[in-house]
Amino acid sequence: MVLYNVTVNIEESIQPEWIAWMKEIHIPDVLSTGLFYESKFLKLLNENPDVEGITYAIQYLAKNMADVEHYLDKFALGLQQKHLDRFGDKFVAFRTVLEEVP
């Protein structure tokens, strides 16, 4: 199992709109690629008091690295651009790929 994690810090003012868009549009779009079999949408609880905004992690589970690489090659940039077009400079995101340790 390989986990593709997207950590996003958003401005508090857009939180309700962003959550709705993520749940109704973005996450379903990522899953519709057929390359991930499950997703989780998580909010960071132990936020650093010196950091502005609210931090979330969106996790997508794939069967193998080949599926993640296919997603990154064919779909990621387009979906990231839709996110950028919608929310502009009101967020910061970074992505990691993790592998389950047997």
Side-chain angles (χ1 to χ4, degrees), residues 38-101:
E38 184 179 339
S39 69
K40 296 185 183 297
F41 189 24
L42 308 160
K43 180 180 177 182
L44 186 67
L45 296 179
N46 60 338
E47 194 78 57
N48 180 337
D50 296 330
V51 174
E52 292 185 26
I54 302 166
T55 303
Y56 291 86
I58 304 89
Q59 301 179 340
Y60 302 97
L61 301 175
K63 294 178 197 169
N64 52 55
M65 190 61 196
D67 285 348
V68 175
E69 289 172 346
H70 184 80
Y71 171 78
L72 294 172
D73 289 343
K74 302 292 180 189
F75 300 100
L77 289 179
L79 291 170
Q80 290 169 19
Q81 187 61 50
K82 286 181 182 180
H83 188 269
L84 182 61
D85 291 347
R86 178 76 185 241
F87 298 103
D89 63 351
K90 297 185 183 302
F91 73 95
V92 176
F94 68 91
R95 294 149 184 89
T96 51
V97 179
L98 301 98
E99 181 177 50
E100 183 176 33
V101 178

Short mmCIF file of all heavy atoms in Angstrom, two decimals, residues 38-101:
data_model
loop_
_atom_site.label_atom_id
_atom_site.label_comp_id
_atom_site.label_asym_id
_atom_site.label_seq_id
_atom_site.Cartn_x
_atom_site.Cartn_y
_atom_site.Cartn_z
N GLU A 38 -9.13 4.59 -1.78
CA GLU A 38 -9.71 5.14 -0.56
C GLU A 38 -9.10 6.51 -0.30
O GLU A 38 -7.96 6.78 -0.70
CB GLU A 38 -9.42 4.21 0.62
CG GLU A 38 -10.05 4.61 1.92
CD GLU A 38 -9.74 3.63 3.06
OE1 GLU A 38 -9.37 2.48 2.79
OE2 GLU A 38 -9.85 4.06 4.21
N SER A 39 -9.84 7.36 0.40
CA SER A 39 -9.30 8.65 0.81
C SER A 39 -9.70 8.93 2.25
O SER A 39 -10.69 8.39 2.75
CB SER A 39 -9.80 9.77 -0.10
OG SER A 39 -11.18 9.98 0.10
N LYS A 40 -8.92 9.79 2.88
CA LYS A 40 -9.22 10.27 4.23
C LYS A 40 -9.00 11.78 4.23
O LYS A 40 -8.05 12.28 3.62
CB LYS A 40 -8.31 9.61 5.26
CG LYS A 40 -8.53 8.11 5.36
CD LYS A 40 -7.68 7.52 6.48
CE LYS A 40 -7.81 6.02 6.55
NZ LYS A 40 -9.12 5.54 6.85
N PHE A 41 -9.87 12.50 4.92
CA PHE A 41 -9.79 13.95 5.00
C PHE A 41 -9.65 14.29 6.47
O PHE A 41 -10.58 14.08 7.26
CB PHE A 41 -11.07 14.54 4.40
CG PHE A 41 -11.07 16.03 4.21
CD1 PHE A 41 -9.91 16.76 4.09
CD2 PHE A 41 -12.27 16.70 4.12
CE1 PHE A 41 -9.94 18.13 3.89
CE2 PHE A 41 -12.33 18.07 3.92
CZ PHE A 41 -11.15 18.79 3.81
N LEU A 42 -8.49 14.80 6.87
CA LEU A 42 -8.16 14.97 8.28
C LEU A 42 -7.79 16.41 8.60
O LEU A 42 -7.19 17.11 7.78
CB LEU A 42 -6.97 14.07 8.64
CG LEU A 42 -7.13 12.60 8.24
CD1 LEU A 42 -5.78 11.92 8.19
CD2 LEU A 42 -8.06 11.91 9.20
N LYS A 43 -8.11 16.83 9.82
CA LYS A 43 -7.73 18.17 10.30
C LYS A 43 -6.65 18.01 11.37
O LYS A 43 -6.78 17.17 12.27
CB LYS A 43 -8.95 18.88 10.90
CG LYS A 43 -8.65 20.26 11.43
CD LYS A 43 -9.91 20.90 12.00
CE LYS A 43 -9.60 22.25 12.59
NZ LYS A 43 -10.79 22.85 13.19
N LEU A 44 -5.61 18.80 11.26
CA LEU A 44 -4.52 18.77 12.24
C LEU A 44 -5.02 19.37 13.55
O LEU A 44 -5.53 20.50 13.56
CB LEU A 44 -3.33 19.56 11.70
CG LEU A 44 -2.06 19.52 12.53
CD1 LEU A 44 -1.47 18.11 12.53
CD2 LEU A 44 -1.04 20.49 11.96
N LEU A 45 -4.88 18.63 14.65
CA LEU A 45 -5.36 19.09 15.94
C LEU A 45 -4.29 19.79 16.77
O LEU A 45 -4.60 20.66 17.56
CB LEU A 45 -5.95 17.92 16.74
CG LEU A 45 -7.18 17.28 16.14
CD1 LEU A 45 -7.64 16.11 17.01
CD2 LEU A 45 -8.31 18.28 15.96
N ASN A 46 -3.05 19.39 16.62
CA ASN A 46 -1.99 19.99 17.42
C ASN A 46 -1.27 21.07 16.63
O ASN A 46 -0.07 21.04 16.44
CB ASN A 46 -1.01 18.93 17.93
CG ASN A 46 -0.34 18.17 16.81
OD1 ASN A 46 -0.84 18.11 15.70
ND2 ASN A 46 0.81 17.58 17.11
N GLU A 47 -2.04 22.04 16.20
CA GLU A 47 -1.55 23.15 15.38
C GLU A 47 -0.56 24.00 16.18
O GLU A 47 -0.77 24.26 17.36
CB GLU A 47 -2.74 24.01 14.96
CG GLU A 47 -2.46 24.99 13.87
CD GLU A 47 -2.43 24.37 12.49
OE1 GLU A 47 -3.42 23.76 12.09
OE2 GLU A 47 -1.40 24.52 11.83
N ASN A 48 0.51 24.40 15.54
CA ASN A 48 1.49 25.29 16.14
C ASN A 48 0.83 26.67 16.31
O ASN A 48 0.34 27.24 15.34
CB ASN A 48 2.71 25.38 15.22
CG ASN A 48 3.79 26.28 15.75
OD1 ASN A 48 3.55 27.18 16.56
ND2 ASN A 48 5.00 26.05 15.31
N PRO A 49 0.82 27.22 17.52
CA PRO A 49 0.14 28.51 17.73
C PRO A 49 0.78 29.66 16.95
O PRO A 49 0.15 30.69 16.74
CB PRO A 49 0.24 28.74 19.24
CG PRO A 49 1.30 27.81 19.72
CD PRO A 49 1.40 26.69 18.74
N ASP A 50 2.01 29.50 16.50
CA ASP A 50 2.69 30.55 15.73
C ASP A 50 2.35 30.50 14.25
O ASP A 50 2.71 31.41 13.49
CB ASP A 50 4.21 30.43 15.90
CG ASP A 50 4.64 30.66 17.35
OD1 ASP A 50 3.95 31.41 18.06
OD2 ASP A 50 5.65 30.07 17.76
N VAL A 51 1.66 29.44 13.82
CA VAL A 51 1.32 29.28 12.40
C VAL A 51 -0.09 29.81 12.17
O VAL A 51 -1.01 29.47 12.89
CB VAL A 51 1.41 27.79 11.99
CG1 VAL A 51 0.91 27.59 10.57
CG2 VAL A 51 2.83 27.28 12.14
N GLU A 52 -0.22 30.65 11.16
CA GLU A 52 -1.54 31.17 10.82
C GLU A 52 -2.27 30.15 9.96
O GLU A 52 -1.67 29.32 9.31
CB GLU A 52 -1.41 32.49 10.06
CG GLU A 52 -0.87 33.61 10.91
CD GLU A 52 -0.84 34.93 10.19
OE1 GLU A 52 -1.64 35.12 9.26
OE2 GLU A 52 -0.03 35.77 10.58
N GLY A 53 -3.59 30.23 9.94
CA GLY A 53 -4.39 29.33 9.12
C GLY A 53 -4.70 28.02 9.83
O GLY A 53 -4.37 27.81 10.99
N ILE A 54 -5.36 27.14 9.08
CA ILE A 54 -5.79 25.84 9.59
C ILE A 54 -5.21 24.79 8.65
O ILE A 54 -5.25 24.95 7.43
CB ILE A 54 -7.32 25.75 9.62
CG1 ILE A 54 -7.87 26.89 10.49
CG2 ILE A 54 -7.79 24.40 10.14
CD1 ILE A 54 -9.35 27.13 10.34
N THR A 55 -4.68 23.72 9.23
CA THR A 55 -4.00 22.71 8.43
C THR A 55 -4.81 21.43 8.34
O THR A 55 -5.35 20.94 9.35
CB THR A 55 -2.60 22.40 9.01
OG1 THR A 55 -1.87 23.63 9.07
CG2 THR A 55 -1.85 21.40 8.16
N TYR A 56 -4.87 20.89 7.13
CA TYR A 56 -5.57 19.65 6.84
C TYR A 56 -4.63 18.71 6.10
O TYR A 56 -3.70 19.15 5.42
CB TYR A 56 -6.80 19.91 5.95
CG TYR A 56 -7.89 20.67 6.66
CD1 TYR A 56 -7.87 22.05 6.70
CD2 TYR A 56 -8.92 19.99 7.30
CE1 TYR A 56 -8.86 22.76 7.37
CE2 TYR A 56 -9.91 20.69 7.96
CZ TYR A 56 -9.88 22.06 8.00
OH TYR A 56 -10.87 22.75 8.66
N ALA A 57 -4.91 17.42 6.20
CA ALA A 57 -4.21 16.41 5.41
C ALA A 57 -5.26 15.59 4.67
O ALA A 57 -6.24 15.13 5.27
CB ALA A 57 -3.37 15.50 6.30
N ILE A 58 -5.04 15.46 3.38
CA ILE A 58 -5.91 14.62 2.56
C ILE A 58 -5.06 13.45 2.11
O ILE A 58 -3.99 13.65 1.51
CB ILE A 58 -6.49 15.39 1.36
CG1 ILE A 58 -7.24 16.65 1.82
CG2 ILE A 58 -7.45 14.49 0.58
CD1 ILE A 58 -6.40 17.86 1.93
N GLN A 59 -5.49 12.25 2.44
CA GLN A 59 -4.70 11.06 2.15
C GLN A 59 -5.44 10.17 1.17
O GLN A 59 -6.63 9.93 1.32
CB GLN A 59 -4.42 10.29 3.44
CG GLN A 59 -3.66 11.12 4.45
CD GLN A 59 -3.40 10.39 5.75
OE1 GLN A 59 -4.06 9.42 6.08
NE2 GLN A 59 -2.43 10.87 6.49
N TYR A 60 -4.68 9.72 0.18
CA TYR A 60 -5.22 8.84 -0.85
C TYR A 60 -4.43 7.54 -0.83
O TYR A 60 -3.19 7.57 -0.87
CB TYR A 60 -5.11 9.48 -2.23
CG TYR A 60 -5.80 10.82 -2.33
CD1 TYR A 60 -5.08 12.01 -2.18
CD2 TYR A 60 -7.17 10.91 -2.57
CE1 TYR A 60 -5.71 13.24 -2.28
CE2 TYR A 60 -7.80 12.14 -2.66
CZ TYR A 60 -7.07 13.30 -2.51
OH TYR A 60 -7.70 14.52 -2.60
N LEU A 61 -5.12 6.41 -0.77
CA LEU A 61 -4.45 5.11 -0.73
C LEU A 61 -4.45 4.47 -2.12
O LEU A 61 -5.48 4.40 -2.78
CB LEU A 61 -5.16 4.19 0.26
CG LEU A 61 -5.24 4.71 1.70
CD1 LEU A 61 -6.06 3.77 2.56
CD2 LEU A 61 -3.86 4.90 2.28
N ALA A 62 -3.25 4.02 -2.52
CA ALA A 62 -3.08 3.35 -3.80
C ALA A 62 -2.52 1.95 -3.56
O ALA A 62 -1.87 1.69 -2.54
CB ALA A 62 -2.12 4.14 -4.69
N LYS A 63 -2.76 1.07 -4.52
CA LYS A 63 -2.26 -0.31 -4.40
C LYS A 63 -0.74 -0.38 -4.51
O LYS A 63 -0.11 -1.21 -3.87
CB LYS A 63 -2.88 -1.19 -5.48
CG LYS A 63 -4.36 -1.40 -5.33
CD LYS A 63 -4.89 -2.24 -6.46
CE LYS A 63 -6.39 -2.10 -6.55
NZ LYS A 63 -6.92 -2.68 -7.78
N ASN A 64 -0.17 0.52 -5.32
CA ASN A 64 1.27 0.44 -5.56
C ASN A 64 1.80 1.80 -6.04
O ASN A 64 1.04 2.71 -6.35
CB ASN A 64 1.58 -0.65 -6.60
CG ASN A 64 0.75 -0.48 -7.85
OD1 ASN A 64 0.76 0.57 -8.48
ND2 ASN A 64 -0.01 -1.51 -8.22
N MET A 65 3.12 1.89 -6.11
CA MET A 65 3.77 3.12 -6.52
C MET A 65 3.48 3.45 -7.98
O MET A 65 3.38 4.63 -8.34
CB MET A 65 5.28 3.02 -6.27
CG MET A 65 6.01 4.32 -6.44
SD MET A 65 5.41 5.57 -5.27
CE MET A 65 6.08 7.04 -6.02
N ALA A 66 3.32 2.43 -8.81
CA ALA A 66 3.03 2.67 -10.22
C ALA A 66 1.73 3.47 -10.38
O ALA A 66 1.65 4.36 -11.24
CB ALA A 66 2.95 1.36 -10.98
N ASP A 67 0.71 3.18 -9.57
CA ASP A 67 -0.54 3.93 -9.64
C ASP A 67 -0.34 5.38 -9.23
O ASP A 67 -0.89 6.30 -9.84
CB ASP A 67 -1.62 3.28 -8.78
CG ASP A 67 -2.18 2.00 -9.39
OD1 ASP A 67 -1.93 1.73 -10.58
OD2 ASP A 67 -2.88 1.27 -8.66
N VAL A 68 0.46 5.61 -8.18
CA VAL A 68 0.73 6.98 -7.75
C VAL A 68 1.50 7.73 -8.83
O VAL A 68 1.18 8.88 -9.16
CB VAL A 68 1.51 7.00 -6.41
CG1 VAL A 68 1.91 8.42 -6.03
CG2 VAL A 68 0.69 6.36 -5.30
N GLU A 69 2.50 7.09 -9.41
CA GLU A 69 3.28 7.73 -10.47
C GLU A 69 2.40 8.06 -11.68
O GLU A 69 2.54 9.13 -12.28
CB GLU A 69 4.44 6.84 -10.88
CG GLU A 69 5.52 6.78 -9.82
CD GLU A 69 6.61 5.76 -10.11
OE1 GLU A 69 6.43 4.89 -11.00
OE2 GLU A 69 7.64 5.82 -9.42
N HIS A 70 1.48 7.16 -12.02
CA HIS A 70 0.56 7.42 -13.13
C HIS A 70 -0.31 8.64 -12.82
O HIS A 70 -0.52 9.51 -13.68
CB HIS A 70 -0.29 6.18 -13.41
CG HIS A 70 -1.18 6.32 -14.59
ND1 HIS A 70 -0.74 6.17 -15.88
CD2 HIS A 70 -2.49 6.65 -14.68
CE1 HIS A 70 -1.75 6.37 -16.72
NE2 HIS A 70 -2.83 6.67 -16.00
N TYR A 71 -0.81 8.72 -11.59
CA TYR A 71 -1.60 9.87 -11.18
C TYR A 71 -0.77 11.15 -11.29
O TYR A 71 -1.24 12.16 -11.85
CB TYR A 71 -2.10 9.70 -9.74
CG TYR A 71 -2.73 10.95 -9.21
CD1 TYR A 71 -4.02 11.31 -9.57
CD2 TYR A 71 -2.02 11.82 -8.38
CE1 TYR A 71 -4.59 12.50 -9.12
CE2 TYR A 71 -2.57 13.00 -7.93
CZ TYR A 71 -3.86 13.34 -8.30
OH TYR A 71 -4.42 14.51 -7.87
N LEU A 72 0.45 11.11 -10.77
CA LEU A 72 1.30 12.30 -10.79
C LEU A 72 1.62 12.73 -12.22
O LEU A 72 1.66 13.93 -12.52
CB LEU A 72 2.59 12.05 -10.00
CG LEU A 72 2.39 11.85 -8.48
CD1 LEU A 72 3.70 11.42 -7.83
CD2 LEU A 72 1.82 13.09 -7.82
N ASP A 73 1.84 11.78 -13.10
CA ASP A 73 2.19 12.08 -14.50
C ASP A 73 1.01 12.59 -15.31
O ASP A 73 1.17 13.46 -16.16
CB ASP A 73 2.75 10.84 -15.20
CG ASP A 73 4.13 10.45 -14.70
OD1 ASP A 73 4.80 11.30 -14.07
OD2 ASP A 73 4.54 9.31 -14.93
N LYS A 74 -0.18 12.04 -15.09
CA LYS A 74 -1.31 12.32 -15.97
C LYS A 74 -2.39 13.24 -15.41
O LYS A 74 -3.12 13.86 -16.17
CB LYS A 74 -1.99 10.99 -16.38
CG LYS A 74 -1.08 10.02 -17.07
CD LYS A 74 -0.67 10.52 -18.43
CE LYS A 74 0.24 9.50 -19.10
NZ LYS A 74 0.84 10.00 -20.31
N PHE A 75 -2.53 13.30 -14.10
CA PHE A 75 -3.68 14.00 -13.52
C PHE A 75 -3.34 15.10 -12.52
O PHE A 75 -4.09 16.06 -12.38
CB PHE A 75 -4.62 13.00 -12.82
CG PHE A 75 -5.16 11.95 -13.72
CD1 PHE A 75 -4.61 10.68 -13.72
CD2 PHE A 75 -6.23 12.21 -14.56
CE1 PHE A 75 -5.10 9.68 -14.56
CE2 PHE A 75 -6.73 11.24 -15.40
CZ PHE A 75 -6.17 9.97 -15.40
N ALA A 76 -2.25 14.96 -11.78
CA ALA A 76 -1.98 15.84 -10.64
C ALA A 76 -1.92 17.32 -11.02
O ALA A 76 -2.57 18.15 -10.36
CB ALA A 76 -0.69 15.42 -9.94
N LEU A 77 -1.17 17.66 -12.05
CA LEU A 77 -1.01 19.08 -12.38
C LEU A 77 -2.33 19.75 -12.74
O LEU A 77 -2.60 20.88 -12.32
CB LEU A 77 0.01 19.25 -13.50
CG LEU A 77 1.46 18.98 -13.11
CD1 LEU A 77 2.38 19.16 -14.32
CD2 LEU A 77 1.91 19.86 -11.97
N GLY A 78 -3.17 19.07 -13.50
CA GLY A 78 -4.46 19.64 -13.86
C GLY A 78 -5.36 19.86 -12.67
O GLY A 78 -6.00 20.91 -12.54
N LEU A 79 -5.40 18.88 -11.77
CA LEU A 79 -6.24 19.01 -10.58
C LEU A 79 -5.67 20.06 -9.62
O LEU A 79 -6.43 20.82 -8.99
CB LEU A 79 -6.39 17.65 -9.90
CG LEU A 79 -7.24 16.65 -10.70
CD1 LEU A 79 -7.16 15.26 -10.09
CD2 LEU A 79 -8.68 17.12 -10.79
N GLN A 80 -4.35 20.13 -9.51
CA GLN A 80 -3.74 21.16 -8.67
C GLN A 80 -4.03 22.55 -9.23
O GLN A 80 -4.26 23.50 -8.47
CB GLN A 80 -2.23 20.93 -8.57
CG GLN A 80 -1.87 19.72 -7.75
CD GLN A 80 -0.40 19.35 -7.87
OE1 GLN A 80 0.43 20.16 -8.28
NE2 GLN A 80 -0.08 18.12 -7.52
N GLN A 81 -4.05 22.68 -10.55
CA GLN A 81 -4.33 23.97 -11.17
C GLN A 81 -5.77 24.41 -10.88
O GLN A 81 -6.02 25.59 -10.63
CB GLN A 81 -4.09 23.92 -12.68
CG GLN A 81 -4.21 25.27 -13.35
CD GLN A 81 -3.20 26.29 -12.84
OE1 GLN A 81 -2.01 26.00 -12.77
NE2 GLN A 81 -3.67 27.47 -12.46
N LYS A 82 -6.71 23.48 -10.89
CA LYS A 82 -8.10 23.82 -10.56
C LYS A 82 -8.19 24.36 -9.13
O LYS A 82 -8.92 25.30 -8.85
CB LYS A 82 -9.01 22.59 -10.71
CG LYS A 82 -9.28 22.22 -12.13
CD LYS A 82 -10.21 21.01 -12.19
CE LYS A 82 -10.47 20.59 -13.62
NZ LYS A 82 -11.36 19.43 -13.70
N HIS A 83 -7.42 23.74 -8.22
CA HIS A 83 -7.38 24.18 -6.82
C HIS A 83 -6.79 25.59 -6.75
O HIS A 83 -7.34 26.47 -6.08
CB HIS A 83 -6.56 23.18 -6.00
CG HIS A 83 -6.59 23.40 -4.54
ND1 HIS A 83 -5.67 24.19 -3.89
CD2 HIS A 83 -7.44 22.95 -3.58
CE1 HIS A 83 -5.94 24.20 -2.59
NE2 HIS A 83 -7.01 23.46 -2.37
N LEU A 84 -5.71 25.82 -7.46
CA LEU A 84 -5.07 27.13 -7.48
C LEU A 84 -5.99 28.18 -8.08
O LEU A 84 -6.11 29.30 -7.56
CB LEU A 84 -3.76 27.05 -8.26
CG LEU A 84 -2.94 28.34 -8.34
CD1 LEU A 84 -2.51 28.79 -6.95
CD2 LEU A 84 -1.72 28.12 -9.22
N ASP A 85 -6.66 27.84 -9.17
CA ASP A 85 -7.60 28.78 -9.81
C ASP A 85 -8.72 29.18 -8.86
O ASP A 85 -9.17 30.32 -8.86
CB ASP A 85 -8.20 28.16 -11.08
CG ASP A 85 -7.19 28.00 -12.20
OD1 ASP A 85 -6.08 28.57 -12.13
OD2 ASP A 85 -7.51 27.26 -13.16
N ARG A 86 -9.17 28.24 -8.06
CA ARG A 86 -10.30 28.48 -7.15
C ARG A 86 -9.89 29.27 -5.90
O ARG A 86 -10.62 30.17 -5.46
CB ARG A 86 -10.91 27.14 -6.75
CG ARG A 86 -12.06 27.20 -5.79
CD ARG A 86 -13.33 27.64 -6.49
NE ARG A 86 -14.41 27.81 -5.56
CZ ARG A 86 -15.54 27.12 -5.60
NH1 ARG A 86 -15.73 26.22 -6.54
NH2 ARG A 86 -16.48 27.34 -4.72
N PHE A 87 -8.70 28.95 -5.33
CA PHE A 87 -8.35 29.51 -4.02
C PHE A 87 -7.11 30.40 -4.03
O PHE A 87 -6.74 30.94 -2.98
CB PHE A 87 -8.23 28.39 -2.99
CG PHE A 87 -9.52 27.66 -2.80
CD1 PHE A 87 -9.73 26.42 -3.36
CD2 PHE A 87 -10.56 28.25 -2.10
CE1 PHE A 87 -10.94 25.75 -3.22
CE2 PHE A 87 -11.78 27.60 -1.95
CZ PHE A 87 -11.97 26.35 -2.51
N GLY A 88 -6.48 30.57 -5.18
CA GLY A 88 -5.38 31.52 -5.34
C GLY A 88 -4.31 31.42 -4.27
O GLY A 88 -3.77 30.35 -4.01
N ASP A 89 -4.04 32.55 -3.63
CA ASP A 89 -2.95 32.61 -2.66
C ASP A 89 -3.44 32.43 -1.21
O ASP A 89 -2.77 32.84 -0.28
CB ASP A 89 -2.21 33.93 -2.80
CG ASP A 89 -3.09 35.14 -2.49
OD1 ASP A 89 -4.31 34.96 -2.32
OD2 ASP A 89 -2.54 36.25 -2.41
N LYS A 90 -4.58 31.81 -1.04
CA LYS A 90 -5.15 31.64 0.29
C LYS A 90 -4.80 30.29 0.93
O LYS A 90 -5.38 29.88 1.92
CB LYS A 90 -6.66 31.82 0.25
CG LYS A 90 -7.07 33.21 -0.19
CD LYS A 90 -8.56 33.39 -0.11
CE LYS A 90 -9.02 34.73 -0.60
NZ LYS A 90 -8.47 35.87 0.05
N PHE A 91 -3.81 29.60 0.35
CA PHE A 91 -3.40 28.31 0.89
C PHE A 91 -1.94 28.04 0.55
O PHE A 91 -1.37 28.66 -0.36
CB PHE A 91 -4.27 27.17 0.34
CG PHE A 91 -3.96 26.84 -1.10
CD1 PHE A 91 -3.08 25.81 -1.41
CD2 PHE A 91 -4.53 27.56 -2.14
CE1 PHE A 91 -2.78 25.52 -2.73
CE2 PHE A 91 -4.25 27.26 -3.46
CZ PHE A 91 -3.36 26.25 -3.76
N VAL A 92 -1.37 27.11 1.29
CA VAL A 92 -0.05 26.57 1.00
C VAL A 92 -0.20 25.06 1.09
O VAL A 92 -0.83 24.55 2.02
CB VAL A 92 1.00 27.06 2.02
CG1 VAL A 92 2.35 26.41 1.78
CG2 VAL A 92 1.12 28.57 2.00
N ALA A 93 0.38 24.34 0.11
CA ALA A 93 0.25 22.88 0.11
C ALA A 93 1.60 22.23 -0.14
O ALA A 93 2.46 22.79 -0.83
CB ALA A 93 -0.74 22.45 -0.97
N PHE A 94 1.77 21.05 0.44
CA PHE A 94 2.90 20.22 0.08
C PHE A 94 2.45 18.78 0.05
O PHE A 94 1.49 18.38 0.70
CB PHE A 94 4.13 20.45 0.97
CG PHE A 94 3.98 19.98 2.39
CD1 PHE A 94 4.36 18.69 2.76
CD2 PHE A 94 3.48 20.82 3.36
CE1 PHE A 94 4.24 18.27 4.06
CE2 PHE A 94 3.36 20.40 4.68
CZ PHE A 94 3.74 19.11 5.02
N ARG A 95 3.16 17.98 -0.74
CA ARG A 95 2.75 16.60 -0.98
C ARG A 95 3.87 15.64 -0.63
O ARG A 95 5.04 15.95 -0.86
CB ARG A 95 2.39 16.45 -2.46
CG ARG A 95 1.15 17.25 -2.83
CD ARG A 95 1.15 17.74 -4.25
NE ARG A 95 -0.02 18.58 -4.49
CZ ARG A 95 -0.04 19.89 -4.28
NH1 ARG A 95 1.03 20.51 -3.86
NH2 ARG A 95 -1.14 20.57 -4.49
N THR A 96 3.48 14.49 -0.08
CA THR A 96 4.43 13.43 0.25
C THR A 96 3.85 12.10 -0.19
O THR A 96 2.64 11.92 -0.27
CB THR A 96 4.75 13.40 1.75
OG1 THR A 96 3.52 13.37 2.49
CG2 THR A 96 5.55 14.60 2.19
N VAL A 97 4.74 11.17 -0.48
CA VAL A 97 4.35 9.80 -0.80
C VAL A 97 4.99 8.91 0.23
O VAL A 97 6.20 9.00 0.48
CB VAL A 97 4.81 9.42 -2.23
CG1 VAL A 97 4.41 7.99 -2.55
CG2 VAL A 97 4.22 10.38 -3.27
N LEU A 98 4.16 8.06 0.85
CA LEU A 98 4.64 7.19 1.91
C LEU A 98 4.30 5.74 1.58
O LEU A 98 3.28 5.48 0.97
CB LEU A 98 3.99 7.56 3.24
CG LEU A 98 4.21 9.00 3.72
CD1 LEU A 98 3.01 9.85 3.36
CD2 LEU A 98 4.43 9.01 5.19
N GLU A 99 5.14 4.85 2.03
CA GLU A 99 4.93 3.43 1.81
C GLU A 99 4.71 2.74 3.15
O GLU A 99 5.43 3.04 4.13
CB GLU A 99 6.15 2.84 1.10
CG GLU A 99 6.02 1.36 0.79
CD GLU A 99 7.22 0.85 0.03
OE1 GLU A 99 8.36 1.11 0.47
OE2 GLU A 99 7.01 0.19 -1.00
N GLU A 100 3.76 1.84 3.19
CA GLU A 100 3.48 1.08 4.39
C GLU A 100 4.67 0.17 4.70
O GLU A 100 5.23 -0.47 3.81
CB GLU A 100 2.22 0.24 4.20
CG GLU A 100 1.81 -0.53 5.44
CD GLU A 100 0.51 -1.28 5.24
OE1 GLU A 100 0.23 -1.72 4.11
OE2 GLU A 100 -0.23 -1.42 6.22
N VAL A 101 5.06 0.13 5.97
CA VAL A 101 6.16 -0.72 6.41
C VAL A 101 5.57 -2.02 6.92
O VAL A 101 4.78 -2.01 7.87
CB VAL A 101 6.99 -0.04 7.52
CG1 VAL A 101 8.10 -0.94 8.01
CG2 VAL A 101 7.53 1.29 7.03
#
